Amino acid sequence: RGEGGIAHHGLVAAREAAKAKAGADNRRAAFVLVDHEISPSQARNLENEVGCEVMDRTMVILEIFHRHARSNAARAQVEIARLRYLAPRLREA
């Protein structure tokens, strides 16, 4: 259905999760993982709706590489990739 369908599905799932947690035992998610590429505005809207950090597939991959980078060169490459990925998201924020 395209990107709009994915965002709508994610928003519906987030609302259902929020309703379920209200009746459960007050546990809150630290972040939400989305198995698709989402735009900065979609991530911001979803974060506002669920009240926690939202990470898409690319950010999860970058985070994994960031945690496992050992050499200075590897750390620099991962940091450059993270900054390039985050630049549009920071501008919109």
Side-chain angles (χ1 to χ4, degrees):
R1 281 196 269 171
E3 196 172 293
I6 293 168
H8 176 72
H9 176 70
L11 186 59
V12 170
R15 284 183 180 153
E16 289 175 6
K19 288 177 187 175
K21 77 164 175 69
D25 58 4
N26 293 339
R27 288 188 291 175
R28 292 193 50 95
F31 50 87
V32 173
L33 301 177
V34 179
D35 192 20
H36 295 282
E37 190 73 31
I38 58 176
S39 70
S41 60
Q42 289 173 324
R44 185 187 69 244
N45 292 339
L46 193 53
E47 284 177 356
N48 291 339
E49 191 69 30
V50 296
C52 63
E53 183 180 358
V54 174
M55 297 173 69
D56 65 354
R57 179 187 298 226
T58 303
M59 189 62 197
V60 170
I61 292 169
L62 288 170
E63 186 64 30
I64 291 169
F65 277 103
H66 175 72
R67 291 182 182 188
H68 291 91
R70 298 287 178 239
S71 69
N72 287 337
R75 287 187 202 130
Q77 287 177 341
V78 171
E79 190 62 24
I80 290 169
R82 288 179 76 191
L83 292 173
R84 283 185 178 159
Y85 174 77
L86 290 174
R89 285 150 177 79
L90 294 175
R91 275 185 241 140
E92 193 167 303

